Amino acid sequence: MRNVPYEQQTLNHPNPIARYAHRSRLKLALETAGKVLPVGGTLLDYGSGQGAYLAALRERLKSQNRENERLVGYDPFMPVAFPGVEIVADLSAIPDRSVDCVTVLEVCEHLDDKETESMLTEVARVLKPGGQLLVTVPIVIGPVILIKELSRCLLFRRWSDHSIGELLSCAFLCKVPRRAESIKHSHRGYDWRVTRERLSQRWALAAPHFSPFPRLPSGFNSQVLLHTEINS
Protein backbone atom coordinates (compact mmCIF):
# COMPACT_ATOMS: atom_id res chain seq x y z
CA MET A 1 0.00 0.00 0.00
CA ARG A 2 1.23 3.47 -0.83
CA ASN A 3 2.38 5.38 2.27
CA VAL A 4 0.55 8.73 2.20
CA PRO A 5 1.04 11.37 4.94
CA TYR A 6 -2.09 12.09 6.97
CA GLU A 7 -2.14 15.75 5.91
CA GLN A 8 -2.25 14.66 2.27
CA GLN A 9 -5.23 12.45 3.09
CA THR A 10 -7.09 15.36 4.70
CA LEU A 11 -6.36 19.11 4.69
CA ASN A 12 -3.88 18.93 1.80
CA HIS A 13 -5.67 16.26 -0.20
CA PRO A 14 -4.83 16.47 -3.93
CA ASN A 15 -8.53 16.09 -4.76
CA PRO A 16 -9.99 19.62 -4.46
CA ILE A 17 -13.40 18.30 -3.38
CA ALA A 18 -11.93 16.21 -0.56
CA ARG A 19 -9.61 19.05 0.40
CA TYR A 20 -12.52 21.48 0.58
CA ALA A 21 -14.53 19.04 2.70
CA HIS A 22 -11.74 18.56 5.24
CA ARG A 23 -10.97 22.26 5.48
CA SER A 24 -14.66 23.03 5.92
CA ARG A 25 -14.84 20.48 8.73
CA LEU A 26 -11.82 22.05 10.46
CA LYS A 27 -13.23 25.56 10.08
CA LEU A 28 -16.56 24.46 11.55
CA ALA A 29 -14.87 22.76 14.52
CA LEU A 30 -12.74 25.86 15.20
CA GLU A 31 -15.68 28.25 14.95
CA THR A 32 -17.94 26.15 17.16
CA ALA A 33 -15.33 25.56 19.85
CA GLY A 34 -14.48 29.26 19.88
CA LYS A 35 -18.14 30.11 20.49
CA VAL A 36 -18.86 27.62 23.28
CA LEU A 37 -15.53 27.88 25.15
CA PRO A 38 -15.95 30.56 27.83
CA VAL A 39 -13.33 33.27 28.30
CA GLY A 40 -10.55 31.83 30.44
CA GLY A 41 -12.03 28.33 30.13
CA THR A 42 -10.44 24.92 29.53
CA LEU A 43 -10.79 22.80 26.39
CA LEU A 44 -9.72 19.17 26.07
CA ASP A 45 -9.15 17.67 22.63
CA TYR A 46 -9.61 13.89 23.00
CA GLY A 47 -7.41 12.02 20.51
CA SER A 48 -5.47 15.15 19.67
CA GLY A 49 -2.72 13.53 17.63
CA GLN A 50 0.28 15.84 17.49
CA GLY A 51 -1.77 18.91 18.36
CA ALA A 52 -2.59 20.49 14.98
CA TYR A 53 -6.16 21.37 15.93
CA LEU A 54 -5.13 22.87 19.26
CA ALA A 55 -2.45 24.97 17.58
CA ALA A 56 -4.99 26.26 15.06
CA LEU A 57 -7.52 27.00 17.80
CA ARG A 58 -4.88 28.89 19.82
CA GLU A 59 -4.15 31.09 16.81
CA ARG A 60 -7.86 31.72 16.30
CA LEU A 61 -8.33 32.72 19.93
CA LYS A 62 -5.27 34.99 19.80
CA SER A 63 -6.79 36.81 16.84
CA GLN A 64 -9.74 37.54 19.14
CA ASN A 65 -7.41 38.77 21.94
CA ARG A 66 -8.11 35.65 23.97
CA GLU A 67 -4.94 34.17 25.45
CA ASN A 68 -5.98 32.95 28.89
CA GLU A 69 -7.80 29.78 27.83
CA ARG A 70 -6.17 26.45 28.62
CA LEU A 71 -6.06 24.13 25.61
CA VAL A 72 -4.93 20.60 26.35
CA GLY A 73 -4.90 17.46 24.25
CA TYR A 74 -5.09 13.79 25.16
CA ASP A 75 -3.19 11.29 23.05
CA PRO A 76 -1.31 8.28 24.47
CA PHE A 77 0.61 7.58 21.25
CA MET A 78 1.59 10.74 19.36
CA PRO A 79 4.39 13.16 20.32
CA VAL A 80 3.74 16.91 20.32
CA ALA A 81 4.72 18.55 17.02
CA PHE A 82 3.54 22.13 17.63
CA PRO A 83 5.29 24.61 19.96
CA GLY A 84 3.27 25.58 23.01
CA VAL A 85 0.74 22.75 22.67
CA GLU A 86 0.00 20.81 25.86
CA ILE A 87 -0.75 17.10 25.47
CA VAL A 88 -1.19 14.50 28.21
CA ALA A 89 -0.82 10.76 27.71
CA ASP A 90 -2.97 9.82 30.72
CA LEU A 91 -6.43 11.28 31.33
CA SER A 92 -5.99 10.88 35.08
CA ALA A 93 -4.00 14.12 34.79
CA ILE A 94 -7.29 15.91 34.08
CA PRO A 95 -9.31 16.47 37.31
CA ASP A 96 -13.02 15.69 37.57
CA ARG A 97 -15.36 18.45 36.35
CA SER A 98 -12.51 20.74 35.32
CA VAL A 99 -13.15 21.10 31.56
CA ASP A 100 -15.57 23.51 29.86
CA CYS A 101 -15.47 21.94 26.40
CA VAL A 102 -14.31 18.58 25.01
CA THR A 103 -13.68 18.05 21.31
CA VAL A 104 -13.49 14.57 19.78
CA LEU A 105 -12.60 15.11 16.14
CA GLU A 106 -12.44 12.26 13.61
CA VAL A 107 -11.82 9.75 16.40
CA CYS A 108 -15.06 7.84 17.11
CA GLU A 109 -14.96 5.98 13.79
CA HIS A 110 -11.73 4.31 14.92
CA LEU A 111 -12.97 3.21 18.37
CA ASP A 112 -14.50 -0.18 19.14
CA ASP A 113 -17.42 -0.50 21.56
CA LYS A 114 -15.22 -0.81 24.65
CA GLU A 115 -13.06 2.15 23.65
CA THR A 116 -16.15 4.23 22.86
CA GLU A 117 -17.66 3.54 26.27
CA SER A 118 -14.36 4.44 27.94
CA MET A 119 -14.21 7.71 26.00
CA LEU A 120 -17.78 8.65 26.90
CA THR A 121 -17.20 7.83 30.57
CA GLU A 122 -14.07 10.00 30.67
CA VAL A 123 -15.84 12.86 28.90
CA ALA A 124 -18.64 12.76 31.47
CA ARG A 125 -16.07 12.72 34.27
CA VAL A 126 -13.97 15.71 33.19
CA LEU A 127 -16.72 18.03 31.93
CA LYS A 128 -18.07 20.71 34.19
CA PRO A 129 -21.86 20.86 34.68
CA GLY A 130 -23.22 22.53 31.57
CA GLY A 131 -20.01 21.82 29.65
CA GLN A 132 -20.02 21.22 25.93
CA LEU A 133 -19.00 18.22 23.83
CA LEU A 134 -18.23 18.59 20.11
CA VAL A 135 -17.82 15.45 18.01
CA THR A 136 -17.02 15.25 14.31
CA VAL A 137 -17.17 11.98 12.38
CA PRO A 138 -17.10 11.05 8.69
CA ILE A 139 -20.17 10.14 6.67
CA VAL A 140 -19.65 7.04 4.53
CA ILE A 141 -23.30 6.18 3.88
CA GLY A 142 -25.19 7.45 0.83
CA PRO A 143 -23.94 8.78 -2.53
CA VAL A 144 -20.92 10.44 -0.87
CA ILE A 145 -19.25 7.04 -0.48
CA LEU A 146 -18.77 6.80 -4.25
CA ILE A 147 -16.80 10.06 -4.32
CA LYS A 148 -14.81 9.14 -1.21
CA GLU A 149 -13.87 5.68 -2.43
CA LEU A 150 -12.89 6.91 -5.89
CA SER A 151 -10.71 9.59 -4.31
CA ARG A 152 -9.17 7.04 -1.93
CA CYS A 153 -8.42 4.63 -4.78
CA LEU A 154 -6.60 7.33 -6.73
CA LEU A 155 -4.69 8.57 -3.67
CA PHE A 156 -3.53 5.13 -2.49
CA ARG A 157 -3.38 3.63 -6.00
CA ARG A 158 -5.35 0.55 -4.98
CA TRP A 159 -8.90 -0.75 -5.30
CA SER A 160 -11.48 -0.05 -2.62
CA ASP A 161 -11.97 -2.51 0.25
CA HIS A 162 -15.67 -2.54 -0.77
CA SER A 163 -17.07 -4.72 -3.52
CA ILE A 164 -19.05 -3.07 -6.33
CA GLY A 165 -22.26 -4.46 -4.84
CA GLU A 166 -21.44 -3.10 -1.40
CA LEU A 167 -20.66 0.35 -2.80
CA LEU A 168 -23.93 0.52 -4.73
CA SER A 169 -26.01 -0.80 -1.80
CA CYS A 170 -24.37 1.66 0.57
CA ALA A 171 -24.71 4.57 -1.86
CA PHE A 172 -28.31 4.10 -2.95
CA LEU A 173 -29.94 1.86 -0.30
CA CYS A 174 -27.97 3.12 2.73
CA LYS A 175 -27.12 -0.50 3.53
CA VAL A 176 -24.08 -0.45 5.78
CA PRO A 177 -21.42 -3.10 4.99
CA ARG A 178 -19.61 -5.04 7.71
CA ARG A 179 -16.94 -3.15 9.61
CA ALA A 180 -13.34 -3.38 8.51
CA GLU A 181 -11.08 -5.84 10.29
CA SER A 182 -8.79 -2.95 11.21
CA ILE A 183 -11.00 -0.01 12.15
CA LYS A 184 -7.90 2.01 13.04
CA HIS A 185 -7.07 2.30 9.35
CA SER A 186 -10.42 2.09 7.58
CA HIS A 187 -13.87 3.72 7.66
CA ARG A 188 -15.49 0.69 6.03
CA GLY A 189 -18.85 -0.05 7.65
CA TYR A 190 -18.82 2.96 9.97
CA ASP A 191 -22.28 4.41 10.63
CA TRP A 192 -22.34 7.94 12.08
CA ARG A 193 -25.92 7.35 13.23
CA VAL A 194 -24.67 4.75 15.72
CA THR A 195 -22.36 7.33 17.28
CA ARG A 196 -25.24 9.80 17.45
CA GLU A 197 -27.36 7.18 19.22
CA ARG A 198 -24.60 6.42 21.73
CA LEU A 199 -24.26 10.11 22.55
CA SER A 200 -28.00 10.66 22.83
CA GLN A 201 -28.26 7.89 25.41
CA ARG A 202 -26.21 10.05 27.77
CA TRP A 203 -26.83 13.65 26.76
CA ALA A 204 -29.27 15.94 25.03
CA LEU A 205 -28.18 16.35 21.44
CA ALA A 206 -28.55 19.35 19.17
CA ALA A 207 -29.51 18.81 15.54
CA PRO A 208 -26.57 17.39 13.53
CA HIS A 209 -24.66 19.89 11.40
CA PHE A 210 -23.58 18.41 8.09
CA SER A 211 -20.45 19.60 6.30
CA PRO A 212 -19.52 20.99 3.83
CA PHE A 213 -23.09 21.42 2.50
CA PRO A 214 -25.34 21.91 5.56
CA ARG A 215 -28.49 22.40 3.48
CA LEU A 216 -28.13 19.00 1.80
CA PRO A 217 -29.02 15.58 3.31
CA SER A 218 -26.35 13.63 5.15
CA GLY A 219 -25.61 11.31 2.22
CA PHE A 220 -24.35 14.25 0.16
CA ASN A 221 -21.97 15.46 2.85
CA SER A 222 -18.54 14.38 4.02
CA GLN A 223 -18.68 14.93 7.79
CA VAL A 224 -21.16 15.63 10.57
CA LEU A 225 -20.73 17.72 13.71
CA LEU A 226 -22.60 16.32 16.72
CA HIS A 227 -22.95 18.89 19.46
CA THR A 228 -24.17 17.79 22.88
CA GLU A 229 -25.04 19.97 25.83
CA ILE A 230 -24.22 18.31 29.13
CA ASN A 231 -27.02 18.55 31.66
CA SER A 232 -26.05 20.41 34.80
Side-chain angles (χ1 to χ4, degrees), residues 11-155:
L11 299 177
N12 296 324
H13 201 292
N15 183 323
I17 298 176
R19 186 167 63 246
Y20 173 72
H22 282 289
R23 292 184 179 183
S24 296
R25 180 259 304 172
L26 175 62
K27 181 181 178 182
L28 176 63
L30 290 172
E31 289 177 348
T32 307
K35 289 177 182 177
V36 301
L37 180 63
V39 174
T42 298
L43 179 142
L44 170 68
D45 186 27
Y46 187 103
S48 56
Q50 294 184 302
Y53 173 75
L54 292 175
L57 181 58
R58 174 61 70 196
E59 289 303 309
R60 184 179 184 85
L61 293 175
K62 282 184 178 180
S63 71
Q64 301 171 353
N65 296 317
R66 296 177 60 181
E67 300 190 26
N68 295 322
E69 288 73 23
R70 182 190 180 195
L71 307 181
V72 57
Y74 162 68
D75 198 296
F77 307 110
M78 301 291 287
V80 179
F82 296 85
V85 170
E86 177 187 0
I87 295 181
V88 299
D90 188 343
L91 274 177
S92 65
I94 308 297
D96 295 359
R97 298 196 166 198
S98 64
V99 175
D100 298 281
C101 179
V102 175
T103 54
V104 186
L105 310 177
E106 309 301 293
V107 170
C108 294
E109 64 272 23
H110 299 298
L111 302 180
D112 60 26
D113 287 343
K114 182 178 180 180
E115 291 168 331
T116 298
E117 189 60 29
S118 176
M119 180 271 290
L120 295 175
T121 298
E122 286 298 290
V123 167
R125 178 184 69 81
V126 302
L127 270 173
K128 295 178 180 179
Q132 304 291 315
L133 171 63
L134 309 178
V135 176
T136 66
V137 290
I139 298 172
V140 288
I141 305 170
V144 69
I145 193 174
L146 300 178
I147 299 174
K148 286 192 170 187
E149 286 303 303
L150 175 60
S151 179
R152 188 171 290 113
C153 289
L154 294 175
L155 183 63

